Amino acid sequence: ENVLTQSPGTLSLSPGERATLSCRASHSLSSYYLDWYQQRPGQAPRLLIYGTSNRAAGIPDRFSGSGSGTDFTLTISRLEPEDFAVYYCQQCGSSPWTFGQGTTVEIK
Amino acid sequence: QVQLQESGPGLVKPSQTLSLTCGVSGGSISSTDSYWSWIRQPPGKGLEWIGNIHYSGNTYYNPSLKSRLTISIDTSTNHFSLRLTSVTAADTAVFFCARVTYSSGHYYMDVWGNGTTVTVS
């Protein structure tokens, strides 16, 4: 099983600041198979980034993804109020598909 | 656009079978490039992939649940279903259904249902 470890667990930032979220895989992963999701309280997850760096439809360009091998990053260039949420990375390169434990981005 | 809606009992007794259905509207469940997925989220915790099904009937299960799990699809009614046997309190969760799109070598869950809460008690 490819275990995904996200850090930090919680990120306390102010609107307008830059957020950098990390996702580390226990086994090397093709960049094709790393996705990022946002989940607001009481809502279903929403796809942000697929294949490490491709923004999903309708996702603002302040969201970007990068990485390779075992280390992947989601960056939010300037936080908007609606960006305070939980973010999950997910791999679909090997079974079972797995999610990281999530990073909470909270208002400082 | 495609929308998904989960339905099923909100309360299941221990040792019984949990059954949920996901209705697909606004598109065909028989799309070649789509898979249909179940994901769950225990209260206050993260997401767990349960399994996928393709309209062809091919299934892909999380090994941790495989012995208790059946995912099926009905293309005539555009819905797919989950059946989990011998449930315990550890199966209490919000269950989401989602569409998995396969495109240019990528897989991603781009459409999600709102989720349905199932309590085992």
Side-chain angles (χ1 to χ4, degrees):
Chain A
E1 177 172 324
N2 202 341
V3 176
L4 301 183
T5 302
Q6 293 186 240
S7 62
T10 302
L11 203 48
S12 299
L13 295 167
S14 300
E17 290 194 296
R18 181 185 188 90
T20 303
L21 287 67
S22 173
C23 176
R24 178 162 290 177
S26 61
H27 306 291
S28 185
L29 174 63
S30 167
S31 62
Y32 270 71
Y33 301 131
L34 193 287
D35 304 324
W36 289 92
Y37 297 85
Q38 176 195 67
Q39 188 177 32
R40 297 178 178 133
Q43 295 187 14
R46 176 175 73 140
L47 176 68
L48 295 177
I49 300 283
Y50 66 92
T52 296
S53 59
N54 302 281
R55 271 188 302 278
I59 301 303
D61 61 6
R62 64 180 181 272
F63 291 92
S64 63
S66 62
S68 65
T70 60
D71 291 304
F72 299 87
T73 300
L74 173 70
T75 301
I76 310 170
S77 60
R78 288 178 53 87
L79 284 163
E80 297 287 342
E82 62 267 27
D83 299 336
F84 292 92
V86 181
Y87 293 83
Y88 294 96
C89 57
Q90 185 239 340
Q91 69 81 22
C92 45
S94 62
S95 183
W97 289 6
T98 49
F99 291 88
Q101 81 280 19
T103 290
T104 300
V105 179
E106 65 174 24
I107 299 176
K108 187 175 181 179
Chain B
Q1 70 278 21
V2 173
Q3 293 183 309
L4 305 179
Q5 181 65 58
E6 304 89 349
S7 60
L11 183 63
V12 182
K13 293 184 185 306
S15 80
Q16 293 193 342
T17 296
L18 182 163
S19 296
L20 297 174
T21 294
C22 181
V24 179
S25 60
S28 174
I29 205 169
S30 300
S31 171
T32 305
D33 295 331
S34 297
Y35 295 75
W36 306 94
S37 188
W38 288 100
I39 304 97
R40 69 179 180 179
Q41 185 170 37
K45 295 189 177 181
L47 300 164
E48 180 184 28
W49 174 72
I50 296 172
N52 296 343
I53 190 165
H54 189 255
Y55 85 95
S56 61
N58 290 339
T59 53
Y60 310 84
Y61 292 163
N62 190 321
S64 70
L65 298 169
K66 188 173 183 178
S67 63
R68 300 190 291 131
L69 179 63
T70 303
I71 298 177
S72 58
I73 194 164
D74 187 335
T75 56
S76 66
T77 58
N78 239 33
H79 75 267
F80 63 106
S81 301
L82 172 150
R83 187 170 177 269
L84 188 66
T85 62
S86 304
V87 297
T88 70
D91 294 309
T92 293
V94 176
F95 285 76
F96 296 99
C97 58
R99 181 181 74 177
V100 177
T101 291
Y102 176 71
S103 176
S104 301
H106 303 288
Y107 292 95
Y108 45 87
M109 298 176 182
D110 60 343
V111 182
W112 291 68
N114 291 328
T116 188
T117 299
V118 179
T119 301
V120 179
S121 178

